[in-house]
mmCIF file of all heavy atoms in Angstrom:
data_model
loop_
_atom_site.group_PDB
_atom_site.id
_atom_site.type_symbol
_atom_site.label_atom_id
_atom_site.label_comp_id
_atom_site.label_asym_id
_atom_site.label_seq_id
_atom_site.Cartn_x
_atom_site.Cartn_y
_atom_site.Cartn_z
ATOM 1 N N MET A 1 -13.042 -7.446 6.032
ATOM 2 C CA MET A 1 -11.772 -6.737 5.932
ATOM 3 C C MET A 1 -10.910 -7.396 4.856
ATOM 4 O O MET A 1 -10.816 -8.614 4.780
ATOM 5 C CB MET A 1 -11.056 -6.785 7.281
ATOM 6 C CG MET A 1 -9.769 -6.022 7.291
ATOM 7 S SD MET A 1 -9.059 -5.894 8.943
ATOM 8 C CE MET A 1 -7.873 -7.210 8.890
ATOM 9 N N ASN A 2 -10.281 -6.610 4.014
ATOM 10 C CA ASN A 2 -9.410 -7.120 2.970
ATOM 11 C C ASN A 2 -8.009 -7.336 3.495
ATOM 12 O O ASN A 2 -7.532 -6.586 4.333
ATOM 13 C CB ASN A 2 -9.352 -6.137 1.795
ATOM 14 C CG ASN A 2 -10.652 -6.065 1.033
ATOM 15 O OD1 ASN A 2 -11.429 -7.012 1.028
ATOM 16 N ND2 ASN A 2 -10.900 -4.945 0.394
ATOM 17 N N ASN A 3 -7.352 -8.355 2.977
ATOM 18 C CA ASN A 3 -5.970 -8.627 3.337
ATOM 19 C C ASN A 3 -5.078 -7.892 2.337
ATOM 20 O O ASN A 3 -5.040 -8.243 1.156
ATOM 21 C CB ASN A 3 -5.721 -10.137 3.318
ATOM 22 C CG ASN A 3 -4.328 -10.496 3.763
ATOM 23 O OD1 ASN A 3 -3.385 -9.760 3.560
ATOM 24 N ND2 ASN A 3 -4.202 -11.655 4.361
ATOM 25 N N THR A 4 -4.386 -6.864 2.783
ATOM 26 C CA THR A 4 -3.573 -6.064 1.869
ATOM 27 C C THR A 4 -2.406 -6.857 1.292
ATOM 28 O O THR A 4 -1.961 -6.564 0.183
ATOM 29 C CB THR A 4 -3.060 -4.777 2.546
ATOM 30 O OG1 THR A 4 -2.343 -5.135 3.726
ATOM 31 C CG2 THR A 4 -4.198 -3.851 2.900
ATOM 32 N N SER A 5 -1.924 -7.866 2.014
ATOM 33 C CA SER A 5 -0.856 -8.714 1.467
ATOM 34 C C SER A 5 -1.384 -9.485 0.262
ATOM 35 O O SER A 5 -0.713 -9.573 -0.771
ATOM 36 C CB SER A 5 -0.335 -9.687 2.528
ATOM 37 O OG SER A 5 0.297 -8.973 3.565
ATOM 38 N N ASP A 6 -2.593 -10.030 0.374
ATOM 39 C CA ASP A 6 -3.208 -10.725 -0.757
ATOM 40 C C ASP A 6 -3.386 -9.772 -1.938
ATOM 41 O O ASP A 6 -3.078 -10.128 -3.077
ATOM 42 C CB ASP A 6 -4.571 -11.302 -0.364
ATOM 43 C CG ASP A 6 -4.476 -12.554 0.474
ATOM 44 O OD1 ASP A 6 -3.908 -12.504 1.581
ATOM 45 O OD2 ASP A 6 -4.968 -13.594 0.021
ATOM 46 N N GLU A 7 -3.881 -8.566 -1.655
ATOM 47 C CA GLU A 7 -4.094 -7.589 -2.722
ATOM 48 C C GLU A 7 -2.789 -7.223 -3.416
ATOM 49 O O GLU A 7 -2.748 -7.078 -4.638
ATOM 50 C CB GLU A 7 -4.756 -6.330 -2.152
ATOM 51 C CG GLU A 7 -6.184 -6.562 -1.701
ATOM 52 C CD GLU A 7 -6.770 -5.378 -0.946
ATOM 53 O OE1 GLU A 7 -6.021 -4.420 -0.643
ATOM 54 O OE2 GLU A 7 -7.968 -5.425 -0.659
ATOM 55 N N PHE A 8 -1.718 -7.086 -2.656
ATOM 56 C CA PHE A 8 -0.422 -6.744 -3.236
ATOM 57 C C PHE A 8 0.085 -7.869 -4.135
ATOM 58 O O PHE A 8 0.509 -7.614 -5.270
ATOM 59 C CB PHE A 8 0.589 -6.446 -2.127
ATOM 60 C CG PHE A 8 1.961 -6.120 -2.641
ATOM 61 C CD1 PHE A 8 2.195 -4.939 -3.322
ATOM 62 C CD2 PHE A 8 3.014 -7.005 -2.467
ATOM 63 C CE1 PHE A 8 3.457 -4.634 -3.815
ATOM 64 C CE2 PHE A 8 4.270 -6.711 -2.957
ATOM 65 C CZ PHE A 8 4.498 -5.530 -3.628
ATOM 66 N N ILE A 9 0.021 -9.107 -3.659
ATOM 67 C CA ILE A 9 0.482 -10.245 -4.473
ATOM 68 C C ILE A 9 -0.407 -10.396 -5.708
ATOM 69 O O ILE A 9 0.092 -10.646 -6.809
ATOM 70 C CB ILE A 9 0.518 -11.551 -3.645
ATOM 71 C CG1 ILE A 9 1.411 -11.404 -2.408
ATOM 72 C CG2 ILE A 9 0.967 -12.729 -4.511
ATOM 73 C CD1 ILE A 9 2.861 -11.093 -2.691
ATOM 74 N N GLU A 10 -1.727 -10.206 -5.543
ATOM 75 C CA GLU A 10 -2.642 -10.263 -6.693
ATOM 76 C C GLU A 10 -2.287 -9.201 -7.725
ATOM 77 O O GLU A 10 -2.316 -9.462 -8.934
ATOM 78 C CB GLU A 10 -4.083 -10.071 -6.244
ATOM 79 C CG GLU A 10 -4.713 -11.299 -5.651
ATOM 80 C CD GLU A 10 -6.138 -11.050 -5.172
ATOM 81 O OE1 GLU A 10 -6.649 -9.910 -5.265
ATOM 82 O OE2 GLU A 10 -6.741 -12.021 -4.676
ATOM 83 N N SER A 11 -1.952 -7.991 -7.279
ATOM 84 C CA SER A 11 -1.596 -6.928 -8.220
ATOM 85 C C SER A 11 -0.309 -7.274 -8.968
ATOM 86 O O SER A 11 -0.176 -6.969 -10.159
ATOM 87 C CB SER A 11 -1.476 -5.578 -7.514
ATOM 88 O OG SER A 11 -0.347 -5.528 -6.674
ATOM 89 N N MET A 12 0.634 -7.921 -8.279
ATOM 90 C CA MET A 12 1.867 -8.359 -8.947
ATOM 91 C C MET A 12 1.551 -9.441 -9.971
ATOM 92 O O MET A 12 2.129 -9.457 -11.066
ATOM 93 C CB MET A 12 2.867 -8.883 -7.920
ATOM 94 C CG MET A 12 3.451 -7.804 -7.046
ATOM 95 S SD MET A 12 4.552 -8.449 -5.777
ATOM 96 C CE MET A 12 5.770 -9.279 -6.748
ATOM 97 N N LEU A 13 0.645 -10.335 -9.640
ATOM 98 C CA LEU A 13 0.236 -11.403 -10.551
ATOM 99 C C LEU A 13 -0.392 -10.813 -11.815
ATOM 100 O O LEU A 13 -0.016 -11.179 -12.933
ATOM 101 C CB LEU A 13 -0.739 -12.350 -9.839
ATOM 102 C CG LEU A 13 -1.365 -13.457 -10.668
ATOM 103 C CD1 LEU A 13 -0.299 -14.387 -11.238
ATOM 104 C CD2 LEU A 13 -2.363 -14.250 -9.823
ATOM 105 N N VAL A 14 -1.321 -9.888 -11.640
ATOM 106 C CA VAL A 14 -1.982 -9.247 -12.781
ATOM 107 C C VAL A 14 -0.961 -8.501 -13.641
ATOM 108 O O VAL A 14 -0.973 -8.605 -14.876
ATOM 109 C CB VAL A 14 -3.109 -8.305 -12.294
ATOM 110 C CG1 VAL A 14 -3.636 -7.438 -13.426
ATOM 111 C CG2 VAL A 14 -4.236 -9.118 -11.667
ATOM 112 N N ALA A 15 -0.062 -7.755 -13.011
ATOM 113 C CA ALA A 15 0.958 -7.000 -13.755
ATOM 114 C C ALA A 15 1.912 -7.939 -14.489
ATOM 115 O O ALA A 15 2.350 -7.634 -15.600
ATOM 116 C CB ALA A 15 1.730 -6.088 -12.807
ATOM 117 N N THR A 16 2.220 -9.076 -13.893
ATOM 118 C CA THR A 16 3.105 -10.048 -14.541
ATOM 119 C C THR A 16 2.422 -10.648 -15.762
ATOM 120 O O THR A 16 3.016 -10.730 -16.843
ATOM 121 C CB THR A 16 3.514 -11.157 -13.543
ATOM 122 O OG1 THR A 16 4.228 -10.551 -12.465
ATOM 123 C CG2 THR A 16 4.395 -12.199 -14.209
ATOM 124 N N ILE A 17 1.169 -11.048 -15.608
ATOM 125 C CA ILE A 17 0.414 -11.633 -16.734
ATOM 126 C C ILE A 17 0.270 -10.609 -17.857
ATOM 127 O O ILE A 17 0.377 -10.960 -19.034
ATOM 128 C CB ILE A 17 -0.963 -12.140 -16.250
ATOM 129 C CG1 ILE A 17 -0.764 -13.365 -15.337
ATOM 130 C CG2 ILE A 17 -1.866 -12.476 -17.426
ATOM 131 C CD1 ILE A 17 -2.001 -13.811 -14.593
ATOM 132 N N ALA A 18 0.072 -9.336 -17.500
ATOM 133 C CA ALA A 18 -0.082 -8.275 -18.502
ATOM 134 C C ALA A 18 1.248 -7.856 -19.126
ATOM 135 O O ALA A 18 1.274 -7.037 -20.037
ATOM 136 C CB ALA A 18 -0.757 -7.065 -17.863
ATOM 137 N N GLY A 19 2.356 -8.406 -18.632
ATOM 138 C CA GLY A 19 3.668 -8.073 -19.179
ATOM 139 C C GLY A 19 4.237 -6.764 -18.649
ATOM 140 O O GLY A 19 5.214 -6.249 -19.182
ATOM 141 N N GLU A 20 3.631 -6.214 -17.599
ATOM 142 C CA GLU A 20 4.097 -4.952 -17.028
ATOM 143 C C GLU A 20 5.276 -5.160 -16.082
ATOM 144 O O GLU A 20 6.013 -4.218 -15.807
ATOM 145 C CB GLU A 20 2.954 -4.264 -16.282
ATOM 146 C CG GLU A 20 1.814 -3.867 -17.201
ATOM 147 C CD GLU A 20 0.560 -3.470 -16.449
ATOM 148 O OE1 GLU A 20 0.599 -3.351 -15.200
ATOM 149 O OE2 GLU A 20 -0.473 -3.278 -17.110
ATOM 150 N N MET A 21 5.435 -6.351 -15.561
ATOM 151 C CA MET A 21 6.578 -6.680 -14.704
ATOM 152 C C MET A 21 7.412 -7.715 -15.447
ATOM 153 O O MET A 21 6.924 -8.801 -15.742
ATOM 154 C CB MET A 21 6.125 -7.253 -13.356
ATOM 155 C CG MET A 21 5.429 -6.254 -12.462
ATOM 156 S SD MET A 21 4.981 -6.953 -10.852
ATOM 157 C CE MET A 21 6.540 -6.812 -9.983
ATOM 158 N N LYS A 22 8.629 -7.357 -15.770
ATOM 159 C CA LYS A 22 9.550 -8.256 -16.470
ATOM 160 C C LYS A 22 10.530 -8.835 -15.452
ATOM 161 O O LYS A 22 11.428 -8.134 -14.981
ATOM 162 C CB LYS A 22 10.311 -7.520 -17.577
ATOM 163 C CG LYS A 22 9.416 -6.912 -18.618
ATOM 164 C CD LYS A 22 8.756 -7.966 -19.474
ATOM 165 C CE LYS A 22 7.962 -7.299 -20.591
ATOM 166 N NZ LYS A 22 7.051 -8.197 -21.225
ATOM 167 N N TRP A 23 10.331 -10.074 -15.105
ATOM 168 C CA TRP A 23 11.143 -10.742 -14.090
ATOM 169 C C TRP A 23 12.382 -11.351 -14.724
ATOM 170 O O TRP A 23 12.374 -11.752 -15.888
ATOM 171 C CB TRP A 23 10.333 -11.837 -13.431
ATOM 172 C CG TRP A 23 9.165 -11.338 -12.642
ATOM 173 C CD1 TRP A 23 7.918 -11.038 -13.120
ATOM 174 C CD2 TRP A 23 9.118 -11.079 -11.240
ATOM 175 N NE1 TRP A 23 7.109 -10.607 -12.096
ATOM 176 C CE2 TRP A 23 7.817 -10.627 -10.936
ATOM 177 C CE3 TRP A 23 10.052 -11.191 -10.218
ATOM 178 C CZ2 TRP A 23 7.425 -10.288 -9.647
ATOM 179 C CZ3 TRP A 23 9.657 -10.861 -8.933
ATOM 180 C CH2 TRP A 23 8.366 -10.408 -8.649
ATOM 181 N N SER A 24 13.446 -11.437 -13.950
ATOM 182 C CA SER A 24 14.669 -12.102 -14.390
ATOM 183 C C SER A 24 15.182 -12.968 -13.247
ATOM 184 O O SER A 24 14.674 -12.892 -12.126
ATOM 185 C CB SER A 24 15.733 -11.068 -14.785
ATOM 186 O OG SER A 24 16.087 -10.285 -13.652
ATOM 187 N N GLN A 25 16.187 -13.764 -13.535
ATOM 188 C CA GLN A 25 16.815 -14.563 -12.484
ATOM 189 C C GLN A 25 17.550 -13.622 -11.541
ATOM 190 O O GLN A 25 18.017 -12.574 -11.944
ATOM 191 C CB GLN A 25 17.818 -15.563 -13.085
ATOM 192 C CG GLN A 25 17.178 -16.638 -13.931
ATOM 193 C CD GLN A 25 16.303 -17.584 -13.120
ATOM 194 O OE1 GLN A 25 16.560 -17.854 -11.961
ATOM 195 N NE2 GLN A 25 15.264 -18.089 -13.740
ATOM 196 N N GLY A 26 17.640 -13.995 -10.301
ATOM 197 C CA GLY A 26 18.344 -13.178 -9.316
ATOM 198 C C GLY A 26 19.842 -13.146 -9.575
ATOM 199 O O GLY A 26 20.398 -14.068 -10.161
ATOM 200 N N SER A 27 20.472 -12.090 -9.129
ATOM 201 C CA SER A 27 21.913 -11.921 -9.300
ATOM 202 C C SER A 27 22.677 -12.726 -8.251
ATOM 203 O O SER A 27 22.110 -13.173 -7.247
ATOM 204 C CB SER A 27 22.277 -10.439 -9.161
ATOM 205 O OG SER A 27 22.015 -10.003 -7.833
ATOM 206 N N ALA A 28 23.975 -12.876 -8.456
ATOM 207 C CA ALA A 28 24.826 -13.576 -7.488
ATOM 208 C C ALA A 28 24.841 -12.829 -6.154
ATOM 209 O O ALA A 28 24.838 -13.450 -5.092
ATOM 210 C CB ALA A 28 26.242 -13.713 -8.046
ATOM 211 N N GLU A 29 24.831 -11.488 -6.203
ATOM 212 C CA GLU A 29 24.799 -10.691 -4.967
ATOM 213 C C GLU A 29 23.519 -10.949 -4.183
ATOM 214 O O GLU A 29 23.539 -11.083 -2.958
ATOM 215 C CB GLU A 29 24.891 -9.199 -5.291
ATOM 216 C CG GLU A 29 26.196 -8.772 -5.897
ATOM 217 C CD GLU A 29 26.099 -7.365 -6.480
ATOM 218 O OE1 GLU A 29 25.064 -7.037 -7.084
ATOM 219 O OE2 GLU A 29 27.071 -6.620 -6.320
ATOM 220 N N LEU A 30 22.418 -11.022 -4.906
ATOM 221 C CA LEU A 30 21.131 -11.285 -4.267
ATOM 222 C C LEU A 30 21.098 -12.691 -3.681
ATOM 223 O O LEU A 30 20.622 -12.900 -2.569
ATOM 224 C CB LEU A 30 20.006 -11.097 -5.276
ATOM 225 C CG LEU A 30 18.594 -11.239 -4.775
ATOM 226 C CD1 LEU A 30 18.315 -10.276 -3.633
ATOM 227 C CD2 LEU A 30 17.612 -11.004 -5.906
ATOM 228 N N GLN A 31 21.623 -13.641 -4.418
ATOM 229 C CA GLN A 31 21.707 -15.024 -3.936
ATOM 230 C C GLN A 31 22.493 -15.082 -2.624
ATOM 231 O O GLN A 31 22.064 -15.718 -1.665
ATOM 232 C CB GLN A 31 22.386 -15.899 -4.998
ATOM 233 C CG GLN A 31 22.528 -17.357 -4.625
ATOM 234 C CD GLN A 31 21.312 -18.166 -5.001
ATOM 235 O OE1 GLN A 31 20.605 -17.818 -5.922
ATOM 236 N NE2 GLN A 31 21.083 -19.237 -4.289
ATOM 237 N N THR A 32 23.611 -14.391 -2.578
ATOM 238 C CA THR A 32 24.439 -14.364 -1.367
ATOM 239 C C THR A 32 23.681 -13.738 -0.198
ATOM 240 O O THR A 32 23.696 -14.264 0.918
ATOM 241 C CB THR A 32 25.743 -13.588 -1.632
ATOM 242 O OG1 THR A 32 26.453 -14.248 -2.682
ATOM 243 C CG2 THR A 32 26.606 -13.508 -0.389
ATOM 244 N N LEU A 33 23.000 -12.621 -0.446
ATOM 245 C CA LEU A 33 22.233 -11.958 0.603
ATOM 246 C C LEU A 33 21.162 -12.887 1.173
ATOM 247 O O LEU A 33 21.024 -13.022 2.385
ATOM 248 C CB LEU A 33 21.587 -10.674 0.065
ATOM 249 C CG LEU A 33 20.612 -9.956 0.998
ATOM 250 C CD1 LEU A 33 21.323 -9.470 2.256
ATOM 251 C CD2 LEU A 33 19.944 -8.803 0.272
ATOM 252 N N LEU A 34 20.427 -13.554 0.298
ATOM 253 C CA LEU A 34 19.357 -14.432 0.773
ATOM 254 C C LEU A 34 19.904 -15.656 1.494
ATOM 255 O O LEU A 34 19.309 -16.121 2.464
ATOM 256 C CB LEU A 34 18.453 -14.843 -0.382
ATOM 257 C CG LEU A 34 17.634 -13.700 -0.963
ATOM 258 C CD1 LEU A 34 16.785 -14.181 -2.117
ATOM 259 C CD2 LEU A 34 16.772 -13.040 0.091
ATOM 260 N N GLU A 35 21.029 -16.163 1.041
ATOM 261 C CA GLU A 35 21.629 -17.294 1.741
ATOM 262 C C GLU A 35 22.143 -16.881 3.115
ATOM 263 O O GLU A 35 22.094 -17.667 4.050
ATOM 264 C CB GLU A 35 22.693 -17.957 0.882
ATOM 265 C CG GLU A 35 22.056 -18.705 -0.276
ATOM 266 C CD GLU A 35 23.037 -19.471 -1.138
ATOM 267 O OE1 GLU A 35 24.243 -19.480 -0.846
ATOM 268 O OE2 GLU A 35 22.574 -20.065 -2.133
ATOM 269 N N ASP A 36 22.594 -15.625 3.241
ATOM 270 C CA ASP A 36 22.999 -15.118 4.561
ATOM 271 C C ASP A 36 21.797 -15.033 5.498
ATOM 272 O O ASP A 36 21.909 -15.304 6.690
ATOM 273 C CB ASP A 36 23.655 -13.744 4.441
ATOM 274 C CG ASP A 36 25.052 -13.810 3.837
ATOM 275 O OD1 ASP A 36 25.608 -14.933 3.735
ATOM 276 O OD2 ASP A 36 25.576 -12.749 3.453
ATOM 277 N N VAL A 37 20.631 -14.647 4.964
ATOM 278 C CA VAL A 37 19.430 -14.476 5.776
ATOM 279 C C VAL A 37 18.742 -15.809 6.053
ATOM 280 O O VAL A 37 18.414 -16.127 7.190
ATOM 281 C CB VAL A 37 18.444 -13.493 5.101
ATOM 282 C CG1 VAL A 37 17.114 -13.450 5.844
ATOM 283 C CG2 VAL A 37 19.056 -12.104 5.024
ATOM 284 N N TYR A 38 18.511 -16.603 4.996
ATOM 285 C CA TYR A 38 17.727 -17.832 5.126
ATOM 286 C C TYR A 38 18.570 -19.093 5.207
ATOM 287 O O TYR A 38 18.068 -20.150 5.551
ATOM 288 C CB TYR A 38 16.758 -17.970 3.945
ATOM 289 C CG TYR A 38 15.720 -16.889 3.906
ATOM 290 C CD1 TYR A 38 15.716 -15.939 2.901
ATOM 291 C CD2 TYR A 38 14.741 -16.795 4.884
ATOM 292 C CE1 TYR A 38 14.769 -14.930 2.857
ATOM 293 C CE2 TYR A 38 13.793 -15.798 4.855
ATOM 294 C CZ TYR A 38 13.813 -14.876 3.836
ATOM 295 O OH TYR A 38 12.884 -13.881 3.804
ATOM 296 N N GLY A 39 19.826 -18.992 4.825
ATOM 297 C CA GLY A 39 20.681 -20.172 4.812
ATOM 298 C C GLY A 39 20.653 -20.910 3.491
ATOM 299 O O GLY A 39 21.506 -21.743 3.215
ATOM 300 N N ASN A 40 19.673 -20.601 2.644
ATOM 301 C CA ASN A 40 19.558 -21.255 1.344
ATOM 302 C C ASN A 40 18.537 -20.499 0.506
ATOM 303 O O ASN A 40 17.826 -19.639 1.003
ATOM 304 C CB ASN A 40 19.112 -22.718 1.514
ATOM 305 C CG ASN A 40 17.719 -22.830 2.104
ATOM 306 O OD1 ASN A 40 16.735 -22.594 1.424
ATOM 307 N ND2 ASN A 40 17.635 -23.174 3.383
ATOM 308 N N SER A 41 18.469 -20.847 -0.752
ATOM 309 C CA SER A 41 17.376 -20.380 -1.610
ATOM 310 C C SER A 41 17.148 -21.437 -2.674
ATOM 311 O O SER A 41 18.094 -21.996 -3.216
ATOM 312 C CB SER A 41 17.667 -19.013 -2.226
ATOM 313 O OG SER A 41 18.769 -19.068 -3.084
ATOM 314 N N THR A 42 15.880 -21.731 -2.927
ATOM 315 C CA THR A 42 15.528 -22.774 -3.891
ATOM 316 C C THR A 42 14.977 -22.192 -5.181
ATOM 317 O O THR A 42 14.872 -22.890 -6.172
ATOM 318 C CB THR A 42 14.476 -23.737 -3.282
ATOM 319 O OG1 THR A 42 13.318 -22.985 -2.909
ATOM 320 C CG2 THR A 42 15.040 -24.455 -2.071
ATOM 321 N N MET A 43 14.613 -20.905 -5.152
ATOM 322 C CA MET A 43 14.060 -20.225 -6.314
ATOM 323 C C MET A 43 14.340 -18.739 -6.130
ATOM 324 O O MET A 43 14.270 -18.230 -5.014
ATOM 325 C CB MET A 43 12.552 -20.464 -6.381
ATOM 326 C CG MET A 43 11.835 -19.628 -7.406
ATOM 327 S SD MET A 43 10.035 -19.696 -7.242
ATOM 328 C CE MET A 43 9.767 -19.207 -5.555
ATOM 329 N N LEU A 44 14.654 -18.066 -7.217
ATOM 330 C CA LEU A 44 14.992 -16.655 -7.098
ATOM 331 C C LEU A 44 14.651 -15.924 -8.393
ATOM 332 O O LEU A 44 15.227 -16.209 -9.441
ATOM 333 C CB LEU A 44 16.479 -16.525 -6.784
ATOM 334 C CG LEU A 44 17.015 -15.192 -6.341
ATOM 335 C CD1 LEU A 44 16.331 -14.723 -5.072
ATOM 336 C CD2 LEU A 44 18.513 -15.279 -6.109
ATOM 337 N N TYR A 45 13.702 -14.998 -8.308
ATOM 338 C CA TYR A 45 13.352 -14.126 -9.423
ATOM 339 C C TYR A 45 13.372 -12.695 -8.907
ATOM 340 O O TYR A 45 13.047 -12.437 -7.750
ATOM 341 C CB TYR A 45 11.946 -14.429 -9.964
ATOM 342 C CG TYR A 45 11.811 -15.795 -10.580
ATOM 343 C CD1 TYR A 45 11.100 -16.797 -9.948
ATOM 344 C CD2 TYR A 45 12.402 -16.084 -11.812
ATOM 345 C CE1 TYR A 45 10.969 -18.052 -10.510
ATOM 346 C CE2 TYR A 45 12.279 -17.333 -12.384
ATOM 347 C CZ TYR A 45 11.561 -18.313 -11.735
ATOM 348 O OH TYR A 45 11.433 -19.550 -12.297
ATOM 349 N N MET A 46 13.719 -11.770 -9.793
ATOM 350 C CA MET A 46 13.755 -10.372 -9.366
ATOM 351 C C MET A 46 13.210 -9.460 -10.447
ATOM 352 O O MET A 46 13.198 -9.792 -11.633
ATOM 353 C CB MET A 46 15.158 -9.949 -8.959
ATOM 354 C CG MET A 46 16.179 -9.976 -10.064
ATOM 355 S SD MET A 46 17.856 -9.606 -9.499
ATOM 356 C CE MET A 46 17.760 -7.840 -9.361
#
């Protein structure tokens, strides 16, 4: 049985390497949301 979570992350990896996904730093709004949920964030890309 295949792990669909692995397949999804692998597809993001391939798309990132191919330049199809252009990542940027997270916004201040996103930082606030994640800190509300997790209490902190050590890395943030979107």
Side-chain angles (χ1 to χ4, degrees):
M1 183 172 98
N2 291 334
N3 183 329
T4 56
S5 294
D6 284 61
E7 291 171 352
F8 178 69
I9 303 299
E10 281 178 358
S11 70
M12 290 177 59
L13 175 61
V14 169
T16 298
I17 291 169
E20 296 167 8
M21 292 183 82
K22 301 290 185 195
W23 294 85
S24 63
Q25 293 293 328
S27 65
E29 294 167 320
L30 184 57
Q31 180 87 27
T32 300
L33 173 63
L34 292 179
E35 289 184 2
D36 287 347
V37 172
Y38 296 112
N40 64 75
S41 64
T42 58
M43 170 191 55
L44 192 59
Y45 295 108
M46 64 185 282

